[in-house]
Amino acid sequence: MAFKSHSGGNKASAPSAKSSTAASSQYGRVVYVILTADDPKCKDASMINGVFYRVPGKGANEDNTDGLSFAYQGNTTMRVIPMVGEVVQIENKPAAGGVTSKYWTGIVPIWNHPHHNASPDTKQPEWRDNILGGVKEQATINPLQANPGDTVLEGRLGQSIRFGGNKGKSPGIIDDSNDGKPVVIVSNGQIVTDNGNDLISEDIDKDFNSIYLVSDHKIPITSANSKRDSYNNIPTNSNKYKGNQVVVNGGRLFFNAKEESAFISARSSIGLNANTLNFDAKEYFCVDANLIFLGKKARTSNKLQREPVILGKQMENWLKILISSLNAVASAMSTASALGIPVTQLNAAGPSLQASLTSLQKQISIFQSKKVFTE
C-alpha cells in the first residue's frame, strides 16, 4: 500500500473538513500512542495503549502532546493498536471512582486497508515525517479477498486468519463439492504484487508460512521431498489428497516439548522423507515392529531371498562350539599315528591349527556391536 495512492486519484474517499468537524465530538486523529509503562508520558498502567489525539480538521500542533486530549484503550482482549495519523472513534465510558473517561474503541477504515488507515493532514508542517509515528509504510501489503460470510482477521504486515467455507473467489480450494464446509487458514507473509491495493488470496506455496485446517478440501501444496520407497502402497500426494486434514507449511518447522514428551500418533502410517533423517538419543534408540526392514530391497524381496540380521550372542555361542570342536581335532592331529608310527604331516599341522583357532576365539567378541541390537 503506497501512501502516494492515498493522496492522489480518488480524493472523494478521504473525509472532508466539514464531515470531520461535524464528528469532532466522536472522533480523534492520533498524535501519540503510549505503548510501555516506562514511557515518560505514561503516568500509570491504565494509560498503556492509550492515545493523545486532536479533533480532525482543526488546527493543532502535533509536535508535542501539550493541550491534547487523551483516550484510554477501549478493549482489553481484542486490540488493534492505532498508529499515528489514524482516526479513532472516541466514546465516553465509566472509569474508576465513578467518573467518566474517554476511550478509543476502533480505527476508522479511511482506506479500507489492513496495513494502515492514516489520514494525512497536509495543513500540518512536516506531516509526512509525523505520519505513522515513523513506522515505514510498505507498498507490498495487500488486503485479502473475502468470500460470502467470511470472518477475516488481518494484521498490518501481511498476517491473517480466515474462518470461512462458503464458495467465492478466495482462496480457490472451495468448489461445488465442498461449498459450505468449514475452513480455517492461518497465514503469515504474502505474495508480492504490483499494487498494494489489489485484493489477494492466500497461497500456501508463496506465503512465508501457513496452517490450513480443512474438512473436505484439496490443498495445492508442493512437497519439498516426494521419495516414498519405504512404502508398499504409496500414500496420496499432498496436493492430490482431498478430505479432513491439517496442512502446515513453512521455511522451517521446529517442534519443542520443553517440559515433557512429544508424540506423533497415526492410525495408518507416519511418513518421513528428507535428504537425511537424523535421530539422536542420549540413553537408547529403540525401533519395534513385527518385521523390520533395512533398505528397500529387504522389503521388496521374497521371503527366500531376504537376508536376516545375524544375532551376535547366538553367533558367538555357535562359533565357540565350532572352534572347540576343531580344537579337539587339532589336538588329535598333533599326536596322530598309524600303527604306532607318528603321521608327521598331521602332527605338524595340528599345533598350527590350534594356534589359529586360539586367535580366532579371542576375536569373536569384536563382531558384536556395542550399540545396535536385534531380536
Side-chain angles (χ1 to χ4, degrees), residues 41 67 89 133 176 223 231 239 261 274 279 337 343 353 358:
K41 301 182 186 300
Q89 186 172 1
D176 291 337
S223 297
Y231 278 85
N239 61 358
S261 304
F279 301 91
S337 63
V343 182
L353 179 58
T358 300

Side-chain angles (χ1 to χ4, degrees), residues 276-292:
T276 65
L277 289 179
N278 306 283
F279 301 91
D280 295 280
K282 291 184 178 180
E283 295 186 12
Y284 65 85
F285 175 72
C286 178
V287 178
D288 181 64
N290 292 335
L291 290 174
I292 298 175

Side-chain angles (χ1 to χ4, degrees), residues 264-276:
I264 300 178
S265 178
R267 183 180 295 275
S268 180
S269 71
I270 295 175
L272 302 174
N273 59 323
N275 288 340
T276 65

Side-chain angles (χ1 to χ4, degrees), residues 254-265 270:
F254 187 90
F255 301 93
N256 182 57
K258 66 177 182 178
E259 294 184 1
E260 229 265 358
S261 304
F263 301 93
I264 300 178
S265 178
I270 295 175

Side-chain angles (χ1 to χ4, degrees), residues 89-150:
Q89 186 172 1
I90 306 296
E91 294 184 17
N92 291 321
K93 293 185 177 183
V99 299
T100 299
S101 294
K102 296 182 181 298
Y103 297 83
W104 64 264
T105 57
I107 301 170
V108 179
I110 292 175
W111 309 114
N112 192 28
H113 201 283
H115 184 39
H116 75 77
N117 285 277
S119 173
D121 189 344
T122 56
K123 296 180 180 180
Q124 291 294 319
E126 307 299 332
W127 64 270
R128 287 186 179 274
D129 296 333
N130 298 331
I131 203 75
L132 302 182
V135 176
K136 182 180 178 181
E137 184 182 44
Q138 300 187 41
T140 57
I141 307 299
N142 291 69
L144 283 184
Q145 169 69 58
N147 290 338
D150 274 0

Side-chain angles (χ1 to χ4, degrees), residues 20-36:
S20 297
T21 303
S24 61
S25 61
Q26 296 178 331
Y27 298 93
R29 174 180 157 83
V30 177
V31 175
Y32 188 89
V33 183
I34 294 178
L35 296 175
T36 63

Side-chain angles (χ1 to χ4, degrees), residues 131-371:
I131 203 75
L132 302 182
V135 176
K136 182 180 178 181
E137 184 182 44
Q138 300 187 41
T140 57
I141 307 299
N142 291 69
L144 283 184
Q145 169 69 58
N147 290 338
D150 274 0
T151 298
V152 181
L153 304 179
E154 296 182 70
R156 295 186 183 271
L157 300 174
Q159 319 96 318
S160 62
I161 302 177
R162 180 196 297 269
F163 300 87
N166 293 323
K167 183 180 177 181
K169 293 184 178 181
S170 178
I173 61 174
I174 305 172
D175 53 30
D176 291 337
S177 66
N178 53 27
D179 189 9
K181 296 185 177 180
V183 169
V184 178
I185 300 175
V186 181
S187 181
N188 180 53
Q190 301 177 333
I191 61 174
V192 178
T193 66
D194 295 330
N195 188 339
N197 292 316
D198 293 340
L199 296 176
I200 64 170
S201 299
E202 300 92 339
D203 188 316
I204 194 168
D205 278 343
K206 295 181 181 179
D207 294 343
F208 293 168
N209 35 68
S210 311
I211 302 175
Y212 282 59
L213 298 91
V214 298
S215 51
D216 185 23
H217 305 79
K218 186 187 298 184
I219 308 302
I221 183 175
T222 301
S223 297
N225 193 310
S226 58
K227 184 177 183 291
R228 296 292 185 188
D229 291 339
S230 63
Y231 278 85
N232 285 325
N233 299 312
I234 298 177
T236 304
N237 196 281
S238 55
N239 61 358
K240 301 294 184 182
Y241 181 85
K242 182 181 180 183
N244 178 8
Q245 58 178 323
V246 176
V247 180
V248 182
N249 191 43
R252 184 187 186 201
L253 304 180
F254 187 90
F255 301 93
N256 182 57
K258 66 177 182 178
E259 294 184 1
E260 229 265 358
S261 304
F263 301 93
I264 300 178
S265 178
R267 183 180 295 275
S268 180
S269 71
I270 295 175
L272 302 174
N273 59 323
N275 288 340
T276 65
L277 289 179
N278 306 283
F279 301 91
D280 295 280
K282 291 184 178 180
E283 295 186 12
Y284 65 85
F285 175 72
C286 178
V287 178
D288 181 64
N290 292 335
L291 290 174
I292 298 175
F293 298 114
L294 301 178
K296 179 181 178 181
K297 290 184 178 180
R299 177 180 57 82
T300 57
S301 298
N302 61 49
K303 292 183 178 180
L304 297 178
Q305 293 177 324
R306 288 175 181 169
E307 295 286 351
V309 175
I310 294 175
L311 301 178
K313 284 289 186 181
Q314 298 300 319
M315 181 181 180
E316 179 182 0
N317 293 335
W318 186 87
L319 287 175
K320 283 181 176 179
I321 294 172
L322 176 62
I323 289 176
S324 178
S325 299
L326 290 174
N327 203 25
V329 173
S331 178
M333 288 171 58
S334 64
T335 59
S337 63
L339 301 176
I341 302 173
V343 182
T344 56
Q345 290 181 324
L346 290 177
N347 296 158
S352 177
L353 179 58
Q354 281 183 310
S356 297
L357 292 172
T358 300
S359 176
L360 290 174
Q361 191 169 23
K362 293 179 180 179
Q363 297 177 43
I364 289 177
S365 61
I366 69 174
F367 294 104
Q368 296 188 40
S369 172
K370 301 297 188 298
K371 297 179 66 175

